[in-house]
Amino acid sequence: MRKLISILFLLILFSCSKKDSEIYLFSYFKGNGEDGLHLASSEDGLKWEALNNDKSFLEPNIGKDKLMRDPCIVKGGDNKFHMVWTVSWNERGIGYASSTNLIDWSEQKYIPIMHHEPDAVNCWAPELFYDEASELYLICWATTIPGRFPETDDSNGNGRNHRMYYTTTKDFVDFSETKMLYDQGFNVIDATIQKEDDTYIMFLKNETKLPKVEKNIRIATSNTLTDNYSEASEPISPNWVEGPTAIKIENRWIVYYDMYTEKKMGAVSSSDLNEWKDISDKISFPEGTRHGTVFKVKESILTDIISLHNNGYSK
């Protein structure tokens, strides 16, 4: 009897452990973002498999162009998944929706984050960061305001001269005043933030093309979430990449990025955020994967997604 009780106890522990285990998901778009949100899963952060037969989980229905580019998903303190995305190449707002299971989504909402700037021409690649200490969500994005930074107006040869801006919210209803997040005197887009101990780590793209091509991923750090970020590091990636997204797996950081000129994904890895190794030859993504976000979920979330797909789920 005692042996049977021990076996049952171990089975219960194993069941609980398995139920609470986590797996990695990657949100992304394909093409120009016309069909919306795609998701892939991975057990090791290297090999990624498309979910729902690589069909869209959520089709865009807001904005002039009705696109869903650069989908960024984070899990908040309310146990909901919150997502923001680029709705258009040329609008002054972004898209937002939330979900408890990544399958059923709230009504899509247009957030007019740069409507107070009548000359702003875009809001690109919004990213979310949930700060547990303050229970605040930070949304950051890149915007060009013609003439605002004349010293770098010709840095990309197309009139786009971006800086990073941000707003904060607790509920995605009320938002703080839009402010500058990062300006170190160069054209910058695609910033994403992680936290390590007391340091906020910003992975960003130097968007400079002229007079010398950069188009690479760099790092800036700060002890506060919304200001005082350092000068950018030396490049940690090749040139002609964008859309960094980062995660720490065991003791190593992986930064994924969109190698958009080669139409594939790439990645670098580091144990100390200083020395980086290109591991692009070790990763695989669904064909056509574009700029997205890596995040962790409970394995039960993935199980439910797969179960619904097997039962004919399709958006």
Side-chain angles (χ1 to χ4, degrees):
M1 175 62 91
R2 184 176 298 175
K3 184 177 181 180
L4 178 60
I5 292 174
S6 297
I7 292 173
L8 289 173
F9 179 71
L10 289 173
L11 287 173
I12 292 171
L13 283 179
F14 176 78
S15 176
C16 290
S17 175
K18 187 173 180 62
K19 182 179 179 181
D20 290 338
S21 62
E22 292 183 311
I23 199 160
Y24 307 104
L25 292 189
F26 198 93
S27 61
Y28 61 101
F29 76 98
K30 302 185 72 172
N32 196 32
E34 304 95 333
D35 73 339
L37 171 66
H38 291 254
L39 293 172
S41 66
S42 175
E43 293 183 356
D44 60 5
L46 299 176
K47 183 179 180 181
W48 295 88
E49 300 287 343
L51 298 176
N52 194 33
N53 202 29
D54 211 10
K55 296 177 182 177
S56 173
F57 281 80
L58 180 67
E59 296 179 359
N61 60 27
I62 58 172
K64 293 182 299 183
D65 297 332
K66 292 182 172 55
L67 301 179
M68 190 173 282
R69 297 174 60 87
D70 322 313
C72 175
I73 297 176
V74 301
K75 189 174 183 180
D78 55 2
N79 286 320
K80 289 183 180 180
F81 295 98
H82 299 272
M83 178 171 68
V84 292
W85 67 90
T86 305
V87 300
S88 167
W89 289 89
N90 303 295
E91 287 192 52
R92 291 180 290 151
I94 62 172
Y96 166 76
S98 64
S99 174
T100 58
N101 58 11
L102 299 172
I103 300 167
D104 305 301
W105 288 88
S106 68
E107 181 179 357
Q108 296 174 40
K109 177 179 179 179
Y110 179 87
I111 306 176
I113 48 178
M114 291 301 283
H115 277 219
H116 64 288
E117 291 279 3
D119 295 328
V121 298
N122 62 338
C123 291
W124 281 1
E127 287 275 329
L128 277 169
F129 176 82
Y130 178 65
D131 192 49
E132 294 182 0
S134 62
E135 298 183 343
L136 278 175
Y137 298 89
L138 177 139
I139 310 174
C140 65
W141 65 93
T143 288
T144 287
I145 304 175
R148 187 64 55 91
F149 304 98
E151 66 279 5
T152 51
D153 271 349
D154 297 326
S155 63
N156 207 32
N158 60 4
R160 304 286 190 178
N161 184 22
H162 301 86
R163 296 299 186 272
M164 294 302 306
Y165 296 84
Y166 81 92
T167 184
T168 61
T169 182
K170 284 183 175 286
D171 54 13
F172 295 92
V173 176
D174 298 311
F175 299 86
S176 67
E177 176 186 358
T178 292
K179 294 182 179 180
M180 180 74 68
L181 178 64
Y182 193 77
D183 173 25
Q184 288 287 347
F186 63 89
N187 196 340
V188 58
I189 65 172
D190 294 356
T192 183
I193 297 173
Q194 294 287 323
K195 190 177 184 183
E196 174 87 319
D197 298 326
D198 295 326
T199 301
Y200 295 95
I201 306 160
M202 179 188 292
F203 301 90
L204 55 88
K205 181 188 179 184
N206 183 337
E207 181 68 341
T208 302
K209 180 181 179 182
L210 301 171
K212 176 185 175 183
V213 172
E214 297 289 350
K215 302 280 188 175
N216 48 45
I217 309 304
R218 300 173 181 243
I219 298 174
T221 59
S222 177
N223 291 324
T224 56
L225 175 60
T226 59
D227 55 17
N228 296 321
Y229 281 91
S230 67
E231 293 184 1
S233 69
E234 291 298 308
I236 67 171
S237 75
N239 293 347
W240 296 105
V241 306
E242 64 186 14
T245 183
I247 193 167
K248 193 172 186 180
I249 299 178
E250 295 179 347
N251 294 317
R252 297 191 67 83
W253 286 91
I254 297 180
V255 178
Y256 309 92
Y257 42 77
D258 184 346
M259 303 176 70
Y260 58 101
T261 62
E262 300 182 43
K263 295 181 168 45
K264 64 180 182 180
M265 295 293 292
V268 290
S269 177
S270 173
S271 60
D272 60 6
L273 296 171
N274 291 308
E275 299 293 327
W276 292 88
K277 179 181 179 181
D278 193 322
I279 59 168
S280 300
D281 61 341
K282 293 181 172 57
I283 64 170
S284 62
F285 277 84
E287 184 177 359
T289 297
R290 297 292 314 277
H291 185 156
T293 303
V294 59
F295 58 106
K296 293 190 294 186
V297 301
K298 297 296 185 184
E299 194 168 5
S300 58
I301 293 287
L302 177 62
T303 300
D304 290 344
I305 292 174
I306 293 173
S307 175
L308 283 175
H309 167 62
N310 290 339
N311 286 311
Y313 166 81
S314 179
K315 282 283 187 182

